[in-house]
Amino acid sequence: MSCFECFCGIFGAEDPKQKALKVAKAKCVELILSKSCGPILIRTAWHDSGTYDMANKSKGFPNSGGAIGSIRTPHEIDAPPNAGLKKALDVYLTPIKNDLEKDGLVISWADLIQLASATAVEVMGGPKIPMKYGRVDGTPTELAPAPFGLPAAFPDSPAQHLRDVFYKYDSMTDEDIVA
C-alpha cells in the first residue's frame, strides 16, 4: 500500500478518479500481458497526441489538437496514417472503458489512451513514465487534413519531412528528433 492509499484510507474513501485510473491501469497490464498489444497501444497514443501543432495553439481547445482522444472520430481513425489503429480502440480499449463504466468509474478516452501507452512501455521493460491525468475528451471543429502532421511512410526528403513534422512542437531540434 502506498502512502497516498494509506492517507486516503485514514480520511475516507478513495477518490473515484484515482480509483478509475488504478483499475484501468491494472486492466491494461492484464491486456498487454495476455494479448501482446503494447506496440499498437503506444502507436495509438502517439497518433492521438501527434495532432498537436503549436501553430494552432491560439485556436484553443480542442482545435489545437493533442492528446484529447480525438483519434476516435471517423475523420481521424479512418485516415491513412491511422490504418490499423481502430483495433486498439474497438478491441482493446473499449472493453476496459465499458467495464469501468459498469462499475461507476469514469475515465476520459484521452486519459485511457495515454494511460494504456505509458503502461505498455512499462510492462514491456521500458521506464515508468510520469504522467498527469485529467485530460478532457475533445472533438476538433476545424478539421485538419490527413496526415494531421504525423510522419509519412515514404517521404521524398526524409530528413526535411521529419523536421516539418517535429518542429511543430516547442523547441525541438534535430538532436531531439533522433533521440
Side-chain angles (χ1 to χ4, degrees):
M1 179 182 301
S2 72
C3 290
F4 176 77
E5 291 168 325
C6 181
F7 181 78
C8 288
I10 292 170
F11 294 105
E14 182 177 20
D15 174 32
K17 291 179 182 177
Q18 290 293 325
K19 184 176 181 182
L21 290 167
K22 286 199 310 194
V23 170
K25 182 171 182 172
K27 288 181 178 291
C28 285
V29 168
E30 182 181 322
L31 173 74
I32 294 159
L33 291 173
S34 67
K35 302 288 185 189
S36 298
C37 59
I40 195 172
L41 296 175
I42 294 167
R43 183 170 167 246
T44 302
W46 159 237
H47 281 234
D48 187 41
S49 63
T51 59
Y52 175 76
D53 187 339
M54 72 179 193
N56 292 332
K57 94 174 135 176
S58 65
K59 293 180 178 181
F61 180 84
N63 291 314
S64 55
I68 60 173
S70 61
I71 195 165
R72 297 172 302 109
T73 65
H75 176 71
E76 288 187 30
I77 198 63
D78 293 334
N82 297 326
L85 296 181
K86 193 178 269 194
K87 181 177 184 177
L89 298 174
D90 295 347
V91 175
Y92 299 137
L93 297 179
T94 294
I96 292 173
K97 182 112 166 93
N98 291 344
D99 284 350
L100 289 170
E101 289 174 357
K102 277 188 237 168
D103 293 337
L105 299 172
V106 178
I107 187 171
S108 67
W109 273 105
D111 273 350
L112 180 58
I113 291 166
Q114 298 306 316
L115 171 77
S117 174
T119 303
V121 169
E122 186 178 348
V123 168
M124 294 187 310
K128 180 178 174 85
I129 300 171
M131 298 290 289
K132 292 186 180 185
Y133 296 101
R135 292 171 187 81
V136 176
D137 291 335
T139 302
T141 55
E142 298 176 26
L143 302 179
F148 319 113
L150 296 168
F154 302 104
D156 292 332
S157 176
Q160 186 57 49
H161 177 66
L162 289 176
R163 287 184 189 105
D164 294 342
V165 168
F166 289 101
Y167 283 6
K168 68 182 184 176
Y169 302 105
D170 289 323
S171 68
M172 283 198 88
T173 66
D174 285 356
E175 290 79 18
D176 295 324
I177 293 170
V178 299

